Amino acid sequence: QVPRDPRTGELVGADDFTAQARQVLANVRGVVEAAGATLADVVSVTVWVTNVDDWAAFDAVYRETFSPPFPTRAVVGASLRGIMVEVSAIAYV
């Protein structure tokens, strides 16, 4: 998932990492719920960030979104072409 509003396709939080992280995880929630699951069913998350120094900001949003026991996760620095964060999640249903 990327930080785009699924209704409009517009980028959310152009220069605001936290806003982008919240949108990405809201999009993950939307997809998981559309599949008949919840965030509690997510077992693994892979995160790509353009600036690894944004790790703490992502971690804060991650902890607001998921509950313990948290899904496993890997965070990778990457060039994402116009966005600051992207997430892939796997849910077990």
Side-chain angles (χ1 to χ4, degrees):
Q1 292 297 309
V2 296
R4 294 197 178 276
D5 182 311
R7 289 177 286 270
T8 66
E10 292 191 30
L11 179 65
V12 173
D15 294 324
D16 182 340
F17 179 85
T18 299
Q20 285 197 13
R22 283 195 175 107
Q23 183 64 49
V24 167
L25 292 177
N27 291 351
V28 167
R29 179 190 313 264
V31 170
V32 167
E33 289 176 353
T38 70
L39 288 177
D41 298 310
V42 174
V43 295
S44 181
V45 175
T46 304
V47 183
W48 293 270
V49 294
T50 57
N51 182 347
V52 294
D53 291 335
D54 286 328
W55 161 249
F58 182 81
D59 188 55
V61 175
Y62 182 84
R63 291 175 181 275
E64 290 171 4
T65 305
F66 292 99
S67 300
F70 298 104
T72 64
R73 70 182 151 170
V75 179
V76 181
S79 176
L80 298 174
R81 299 181 183 240
I83 60 174
M84 293 184 234
V85 59
E86 184 172 336
V87 172
S88 174
I90 298 171
Y92 178 79
V93 181

